[in-house]
Amino acid sequence: DTAVSQTPKYLVTQMGNDKSIKCEQNLGHDTMYWYKQDSKKFLKIMFSYNNKELIINETVPNRFSPKSPDKAHLNLHINSLELGDSAVYFCASSQDIAGGGTQYFGPGTRLLVL
Amino acid sequence: GDSVTQMEGPVTLSEEAFLTINCTYTATGYPSLFWYVQYPGEGLQLLLKATKADDKGSNKGFEATYRKETTSFHLEKGSVQVSDSAVYFCALSEKSQGAQKLVFGQGTRLTINP
């Protein structure tokens, strides 16, 4: 029944490693997003995809590479992890691309880089 | 770009107290406005929204009215419960690169004591 799901829920890894986070939505939405929440709870958008096409890229380091195999999935791959990448990463989806549509969020992936 | 400013937290209240969390925004257009809630260890859930001036969003006893003249969207509840303890985020939708993204306030942590 989960609308937006993410795996894994927790991820602990060493600096320099490469890791991926997966996101899936079963809402039939066309648009998906990745947000980053830092240690002070501040949330900021990273990427948005519409129908598998990248439409928003908010000056994120190119160590972060999103991939959308189909419109129900948006994965996030991170190369050469750094301490500052430790955060909670949220996936979201919405129906509207340019309207005031509601975004539905996944449970988050808590990434800790040691 | 657009921005959202929320009341600094943390906020601590007793059960059945009246709650107000202030939110003001800066936007060039007429964005939709949202309140999201994050319970401990969980993802973000939409609490309520308003899409145009003078609209009132309401859910679970919470209300907020879209005030264009004061660029505000304050969250209120008449009688809070311990289960309302969470972090509350005010957000607006901003058009960016031909799509829509959410711009969040810094979050307000609310603790309700029995």
Side-chain angles (χ1 to χ4, degrees):
Chain A
D1 258 329
T2 306
V4 183
S5 58
Q6 294 179 228
T7 54
K9 191 169 182 181
Y10 299 96
L11 189 50
V12 181
T13 188
Q14 299 289 327
M15 234 172 19
N17 284 350
D18 302 338
K19 289 293 177 187
S20 291
I21 307 171
K22 296 187 175 183
C23 177
E24 177 181 1
Q25 54 95 3
N26 63 7
L27 297 167
H29 290 164
D30 291 333
T31 309
M32 295 184 73
Y33 310 80
W34 279 110
Y35 287 83
K36 180 180 179 180
Q37 185 177 45
D38 65 21
S39 58
K40 295 184 179 178
K41 296 287 191 183
F42 185 67
L43 276 152
K44 188 169 165 44
I45 192 166
M46 299 173 70
F47 300 104
S48 176
Y49 269 72
N50 179 262
N51 276 321
K52 304 191 295 175
E53 183 183 340
L54 178 66
I55 49 173
I56 293 177
N57 182 343
E58 288 281 309
T59 61
V60 176
N62 57 16
R63 297 184 296 104
F64 290 78
S65 50
K67 283 189 173 49
S68 182
D70 55 63
K71 72 176 192 177
H73 295 85
L74 179 62
N75 304 324
L76 183 65
H77 188 76
I78 316 170
N79 288 327
S80 304
L81 277 154
E82 300 177 357
L83 295 177
D85 298 332
S86 296
V88 182
Y89 293 85
F90 287 102
C91 178
S93 73
S94 71
Q95 185 57 51
D96 298 326
I97 181 174
T102 301
Q103 294 186 20
Y104 296 88
F105 284 77
T109 295
R110 284 149 183 81
L111 171 65
L112 178 61
V113 182
L114 302 174
Chain B
D2 296 354
S3 66
V4 176
T5 301
Q6 273 181 249
M7 172 176 174
E8 290 274 347
V11 174
T12 302
L13 296 172
S14 298
E15 206 164 22
E16 299 183 5
F18 184 86
L19 168 71
T20 301
I21 301 178
N22 290 339
C23 172
T24 56
Y25 66 91
T26 304
T28 50
Y30 300 99
S32 294
L33 301 174
F34 305 83
W35 276 99
Y36 280 84
V37 58
Q38 186 176 26
Y39 297 104
E42 297 186 13
L44 282 86
Q45 299 176 25
L46 177 69
L47 183 58
L48 53 85
K49 73 175 190 179
T51 57
K52 60 184 189 297
D54 300 325
D55 267 3
K56 179 188 279 189
S58 60
N59 185 25
K60 299 181 182 180
F62 290 90
E63 292 183 340
T65 301
Y66 190 143
R67 301 280 188 207
K68 193 175 74 164
E69 63 277 11
T70 53
T71 61
S72 64
F73 193 54
H74 304 321
L75 183 68
E76 296 183 337
K77 186 174 185 182
S79 176
V80 292
Q81 306 300 314
V82 172
S83 57
D84 294 327
S85 298
V87 181
Y88 292 79
F89 292 93
C90 185
L92 60 80
S93 61
E94 178 187 27
K95 292 224 179 124
S96 171
Q97 302 170 46
Q100 180 220 158
K101 67 178 184 184
L102 287 177
V103 176
F104 287 90
Q106 69 269 39
T108 301
R109 182 179 299 276
L110 174 67
T111 302
I112 307 299
N113 293 321

